[in-house]
Amino acid sequence: MTTNSIGAERLARRMARGTAFLGSEVAILCGAMSWVSERNLVAAMSNAGGFGLIACGAMTPELLDREIAATKALTTRPFGVNLITMHPQLMDLIEVCNRHGVTHVVLAGGLPPAGSLDAIKANGAKLICFAPALSLAKKLIRSGVDALVVEGMEAGGHIGPVSTSVLAQEILPEVSEQVPVFVAGGIGRGEAIAGYLDMGAAGVQLGTRFVCATESIAHPAFKKAFLRASARDAIASVQIDPRLPVIPVRALKNAGGELFTAKQREVAQLLDEGKVEMMEAQLQIEHYWAGALRRAVIDGDVEHGSLMAGQSVGMVTKEEPVAEILAALMAEAAHALEKRAA
């Protein structure tokens, strides 16, 4: 697909702030997907001109250290690391990032814990946080974060309750002039990217679209499940017990979803019996997801593992290189902007 220069120029102008912030050629981040966003996909994304993110997830500091070093061996371009705020060794993980001179750190899963923001920025790294509501976006900006990701409930993995289109309308007009804002959740084509850029976004983040990239190490059975799925197959998990605030997770429907319901009941009972504290209960749930996701992504157990996927999964129709996915998205976005110019 070739892009006319008018559309391409408009696209470059709208992405200029995002690319300057990321140090990449295009302002498209590859969302950090546990087990999927490792050295191969991250390096391929950055080498193709986008911005790759290592999904630290439940990694130990030693594992993260090795993953960053291995990614650096595959690309000389900038990439970032996504850290989970509730990780018990968060400060050690930040130290690993600092040692490697990681330029961008994404903190996911709530407000940055005390000291984490200063520790990340002390070394000159840029800090990106998720803002699932306008009030939180303003609070994060006041606390000193450098950029925001606004992610709607159409996304795969952990999700909030509000759709991307509503969040974008609420948050972009209010804060996009203060910090770069990247929109995520349910984006599968370039026309949507163009729309969010027109609304003031500095760029976008896509995860699901890159799962079936040739460079993704996801098991062939995992990729096949994605290629077969439609938007309605990507459903959100159900919370069993109101006292156990489990963040819903969007994944393809399978027996693994039923297993998670049983796991919640088991953890809720431990809470009832006073055998675990709330933090420990939530960590148990997180570890369950990490294990279930590994079974699907790495081992190919698509029945009992977790097939985390966004609703844009229906737009994933073939296995192809990251560079081709990015080129198609950019061509679609440029074409959309050119039509608007006319």
Side-chain angles (χ1 to χ4, degrees):
M1 209 172 159
T2 54
T3 57
N4 183 292
S5 60
I6 299 169
E9 279 165 24
R10 295 187 78 176
L11 180 57
R13 270 206 310 277
R14 279 165 178 69
M15 276 193 170
R17 189 179 182 199
T19 53
F21 176 79
L22 297 170
S24 56
E25 287 170 42
V26 301
I28 298 178
L29 297 112
C30 180
M33 300 169 282
S34 292
W35 303 110
V36 180
S37 300
E38 47 73 76
R39 62 192 74 170
N40 293 289
L41 185 62
V42 173
M45 185 73 187
S46 290
N47 285 335
F51 194 85
L53 284 172
I54 293 174
C56 176
M59 279 184 201
T60 59
E62 295 71 32
L63 272 175
L64 180 62
D65 184 49
R66 288 208 290 275
E67 202 56 49
I68 295 172
T71 307
K72 278 177 159 178
L74 297 172
T75 185
T76 55
R77 297 194 176 183
F79 62 88
V81 175
N82 177 297
L83 303 175
I84 309 291
T85 52
M86 65 162 69
H87 196 297
Q89 292 174 283
L90 179 63
M91 297 309 279
D92 298 331
L93 295 168
I94 291 169
E95 181 47 41
V96 171
C97 292
N98 285 347
R99 247 196 344 265
H100 278 285
V102 170
T103 54
H104 298 69
V105 174
V106 179
L107 273 188
L111 286 165
S116 61
L117 189 138
D118 294 335
I120 290 165
K121 298 191 65 166
N123 214 43
K126 292 185 165 75
L127 172 59
I128 306 167
C129 285
F130 283 83
L134 177 59
S135 56
L136 204 59
K138 289 178 173 174
K139 189 172 184 177
L140 286 164
I141 292 169
R142 281 198 303 274
S143 72
V145 308
D146 299 294
L148 298 173
V149 175
V150 171
E151 183 178 71
M153 50 92 77
E154 300 94 321
H158 292 83
I159 54 169
V162 183
S163 74
T164 305
S165 61
V166 171
L167 281 179
Q169 291 175 78
E170 270 186 353
I171 296 175
L172 287 171
E174 296 278 342
V175 305
S176 65
E177 286 179 14
Q178 296 170 57
V179 296
V181 181
F182 298 88
V183 176
I187 301 173
R189 288 184 57 91
E191 292 86 350
I193 295 173
Y196 288 124
L197 291 171
D198 265 348
M199 289 170 70
V204 291
Q205 175 177 292
L206 288 76
T208 300
R209 192 73 177 79
F210 295 107
V211 168
C212 292
T214 316
E215 298 90 343
S216 156
I217 62 150
H219 194 282
F222 190 84
K223 290 184 179 181
K224 192 182 275 184
F226 266 62
L227 297 175
R228 280 199 196 125
S230 70
R232 64 175 58 204
D233 297 320
I235 58 171
S237 61
V238 179
Q239 183 176 312
I240 297 300
D241 191 315
R243 291 161 316 134
L244 190 60
V246 177
I247 300 168
V249 165
R250 187 176 299 287
L252 300 180
K253 195 176 179 178
N254 69 351
E258 311 296 318
L259 291 172
F260 176 58
T261 303
K263 177 68 184 177
Q264 282 189 78
R265 286 208 178 91
E266 176 197 316
V267 175
Q269 193 175 340
L270 291 174
L271 258 182
D272 274 349
E273 295 165 1
K275 289 181 181 169
V276 292
E277 296 288 312
M278 181 58 80
M279 184 74 173
E280 168 61 23
Q282 285 182 296
L283 276 172
Q284 273 203 33
I285 297 282
E286 280 306 306
H287 285 147
Y288 170 85
W289 276 124
L293 193 56
R294 187 184 196 286
R295 281 201 300 282
V297 174
I298 305 296
D299 306 333
D301 181 357
V302 294
E303 261 316 296
H304 305 100
S306 172
L307 300 167
M308 290 190 190
Q311 290 182 326
S312 62
V313 70
M315 290 175 257
V316 180
T317 55
K318 60 179 185 279
E319 192 171 348
E320 57 189 327
V322 167
E324 286 180 22
I325 299 171
L326 278 178
L329 291 169
M330 292 295 285
E332 288 158 4
H335 185 59
L337 289 171
E338 193 193 324
K339 279 199 301 196
R340 282 172 210 180

